[in-house]
Amino acid sequence: MVKLFVGGFPLDMTELDLVKIINLHGEVSTIKIVRDKKTRICKGYAFLEMKDREGAENAVIALDGTPMGDRTLNVKINEENAVKPPPPKRSFGGYSSNTNRSSSSSSSGSSYGKSNSSYKRPADDTPKAKRPRRAI
C-alpha cells in the first residue's frame, strides 16, 4: 500500500470523481477527502491509498501540475515516517533516580502526609489573621 496526497482539486468534486481520475493510472484502495467539521464542505485535498507503488508513481507523473478548473492538481507520494520513540519520562518529584533519600523516611519510602520535624513555628503562637468575607 502506498499513500498519496492529492490537493488542489475543485471543491465540488466527490470521492467517486476523484477515484475515476486516479484509477486510470493505478488501483485505488481507499480514499478520504478532508472536509470541514461543521459545514462538511470539502477543503480541496484528499488522501488515497493505492495497491502498488508503480501505480502511485504513474499517477504523480501524469497528474501533478495538471490544471483542473481554476485550480492546479498537486499529487505527491506520502512517504511513511519512521515511528518516533516516545520522549523519556521525566520525574517531577524532585528526586533523581541516583539520589540517596533521607534515612528519616518511613520504610515504604514515602513521607507524604507526615510532619517534618525540622520545621519550627514562630515563637509567638498568635493566630493568623483571617481575610474578611466578600459581600455579595
Side-chain angles (χ1 to χ4, degrees), residues 49-61:
E49 282 188 358
M50 298 191 71
K51 296 280 185 185
D52 59 344
R53 181 142 187 113
E54 183 181 341
E57 290 173 353
N58 289 340
V60 170
I61 292 167

Side-chain angles (χ1 to χ4, degrees), residues 2-3 12 16 22 25 38 45 59 63 66-67 71 87 89 114 121-122 134:
V2 180
K3 293 183 181 182
D12 59 348
L16 188 57
I22 304 289
H25 308 285
K38 292 181 181 175
Y45 64 97
L63 298 173
T66 304
R71 306 182 87 186
K89 292 185 179 182
K114 300 196 188 249
R121 286 196 98 169
R134 290 188 314 180

Side-chain angles (χ1 to χ4, degrees), residues 2 5 8 14 32 38-40 43 48 50 59 102 106 115 134-135:
V2 180
F5 167 82
T14 65
K32 171 66 177 159
K38 292 181 181 175
T39 62
R40 303 299 300 156
K43 289 190 173 188
L48 291 95
M50 298 191 71
S102 172
S106 66
S115 65
R134 290 188 314 180

